[in-house]
Structures are given as structure tokens and as C-alpha cells.
Amino acid sequence: MPLVALWAHGSLALGDYQPGRSDLDLVALVGTELDGAQQAELRAVHERLIADVPLARSLHCTYVPRGDTSDTAQHHPTWAQGEWFERPVSPVSRRELALGAVVLHGPPPVGLLPGVSDQELAEFIRAELEDYWLPVTGNAKAELWLQDIWVDLGMLTFARASVTLRDGQLITKGEALEELSSMGAPTAVVDDIRRRRYGADLLKNPSASDDFRARRAERARKFVRAGITTLLAEHGNPPPGPAHTSRLTRRPPPPA
């Protein structure tokens, strides 16, 4: 499997990478389409990495065959969140790569991956909000929001999406926290996210009580639901088309 190029995007490319806390999001451009044996070998490599280096759990990589990049909806073999599956390189990821890919090997992505128009980016984000995030803010999914990951990504995704739909810009998670404050988000929730992402020593911070988690879950869920509803009303709905299966940010595991 010849490796043509390896690029980092996400928080590393945007200058907001937090060692031990952020994901390492990669796109590998490979010389040929991966057959079943090669995919099995790569999966085993990722599993061995996690066994040897626990931080490798945060390493996500999509493998794109060279010459198979013109169809932006094409699904490619991917390792993420401890699983092997297929997904496209999303418009958000391609925009991040265009803005400031960290080139780890080979040539830069310009000319090798399709560009992203502002319209495509906005349509993708609206679809993600409407099809994925809005449903999981409903009462039926309230228990999900007791978990840190749902609070963090729900709040930060909403703030980042708001800025992109308003200004066409991508912002970091750190900038999203400031945006949340300016939006009137619950202060205790924003401070809690900031502590866990940017606190000096996460291990010394006590675990949140069940009572705090319950209050935080309700405040975060209702804030995100109201915000998404307003945002979609202001910016319209995406045109009909195939369901989006990529990620605006790293999603939590799919809800049951």
C-alpha cells in the first residue's frame, strides 16, 4: 500500500490542539484502492497502536485512494473512535485541509482534494444540525446529555456552526467557547467545558456530582436545541439530497 501523502486537519491544523485531550485527525492519500486484506492489516495496525500507546485511541484516519477524490460523496475506509468503517472526507475536513493542513508526508492537499464552496459548506452544516444534532436534543434523548462528550460536542458544534453559517469561517473549539459566552450560554456549562479541555491539570479536578451533571445536561440540551432551531430558521433548510454521514466535528457514538 504505497503512501502518497499524509495530512492532519482538525484542531492541529487550526492551532487548537491539546495534547492528551484533542483528537488527531488525519487523511492518508494512498496509491491504490485498499482491498480486503490491506484493510484488515490497517485495522490490526491501529489496534496494536492502541494496545501499545493508549493515546492512539484519539488517532482518526481516513484512507483515500489517489485518483478517487473527484466524487466528494465517496465513502473511504476510516479508523475512528476505535472502529473501522467507511465515510467521505467531509466538506468541513476538506476546508480545514485547504486552510492549513499539517503536511506530515508527501505533497500538500491543494490540487489533490476537491475544494469546498461556501454553499457546499453551509448546506453540509445545516444538514448536520437538522438531521443529527436537533433530534438528539429532544426529550427522548435527555439521558445522553449526562455524559461529558455530548455536552462538549453539542455546545461547541452549535457555536462553531453558528459562526460558519453567519460568516463563512471555521473557528476552533477555544474560539467556540468565547462565542458561547457571547451568546448567553449557561456560564457554569461553558466553564465546565473549558476546565476539561484547557484546565492545567485535568486529573486534579474532581468529578462532577450527579446533581451537577443533571443540571448541566438539562441546561446544555435546552440551550443547544433552542439555538439550532433559531439558526435553521434564520439560514433556511438544505436542499433535498442524500443523507449526510460525515461529521461536522467528531460525533459521540450514535445514540440508541
Side-chain angles (χ1 to χ4, degrees):
M1 181 198 70
L3 179 65
V4 177
L6 184 63
W7 310 307
H9 59 101
S11 57
L12 186 62
L14 295 176
D16 192 42
Y17 184 79
Q18 303 297 308
R21 305 184 191 189
S22 298
D23 294 326
L24 180 56
D25 297 309
L26 306 177
V27 172
L29 187 69
V30 294
T32 59
E33 185 173 351
L34 303 179
D35 60 26
Q38 290 171 320
Q39 292 193 41
E41 181 181 355
L42 279 172
R43 178 172 184 169
V45 168
H46 282 285
E47 290 171 342
R48 287 197 299 271
L49 275 174
I50 291 173
D52 294 340
V53 184
L55 282 177
R57 291 184 181 276
S58 299
L59 189 156
H60 303 159
C61 188
T62 296
Y63 296 87
V64 181
R66 186 169 191 171
D68 193 22
T69 60
S70 59
D71 182 0
T72 57
Q74 179 71 32
H75 286 58
H76 305 292
T78 298
W79 176 269
Q81 301 177 43
E83 298 180 7
W84 186 262
F85 56 97
E86 292 192 351
R87 70 181 183 195
V89 180
S90 77
V92 171
S93 297
R94 286 187 282 120
R95 176 63 65 89
E96 289 174 349
L97 287 165
L99 288 173
V102 177
V103 179
L104 302 173
H105 175 77
V110 177
L112 294 174
L113 285 181
V116 183
S117 69
D118 290 344
Q119 179 179 350
E120 181 186 3
L121 184 64
E123 288 175 357
F124 172 80
I125 288 174
R126 287 196 301 264
E128 284 276 286
L129 293 177
E130 184 171 37
D131 299 342
Y132 183 84
W133 282 105
L134 189 59
V136 299
T137 62
N139 291 333
K141 303 296 182 182
E143 289 191 4
L144 294 173
W145 294 77
L146 294 170
Q147 303 173 51
D148 293 346
I149 190 172
W150 285 92
V151 172
D152 292 4
L153 292 184
M155 295 283 285
L156 294 173
T157 294
F158 164 62
R160 298 174 83 181
S162 298
V163 172
T164 303
L165 291 180
R166 184 185 70 215
D167 302 330
Q169 303 296 314
L170 297 183
I171 63 172
T172 67
K173 291 179 179 178
E175 292 168 333
L177 285 171
E178 299 306 316
E179 185 70 19
L180 285 169
S181 296
S182 70
M183 291 174 164
T187 301
V189 178
V190 175
D191 289 346
D192 179 63
I193 298 171
R194 182 179 286 109
R195 174 187 63 80
R196 281 182 285 100
R197 182 167 177 80
Y198 299 102
D201 192 340
L202 184 63
L203 296 178
K204 291 183 179 180
N205 288 316
S207 299
S209 67
D210 290 343
D211 184 56
F212 174 79
R213 285 183 180 276
R215 294 195 310 272
R216 182 189 67 177
E218 191 70 359
R219 291 171 181 172
R221 182 178 66 85
K222 289 185 174 180
F223 176 80
V224 173
R225 184 170 184 82
I228 290 176
T229 300
T230 300
L231 192 63
L232 290 174
E234 291 175 347
H235 293 277
N237 297 316
H244 289 261
T245 57
S246 302
R247 292 167 170 80
L248 172 58
T249 62
R250 183 173 64 90
R251 290 178 178 174

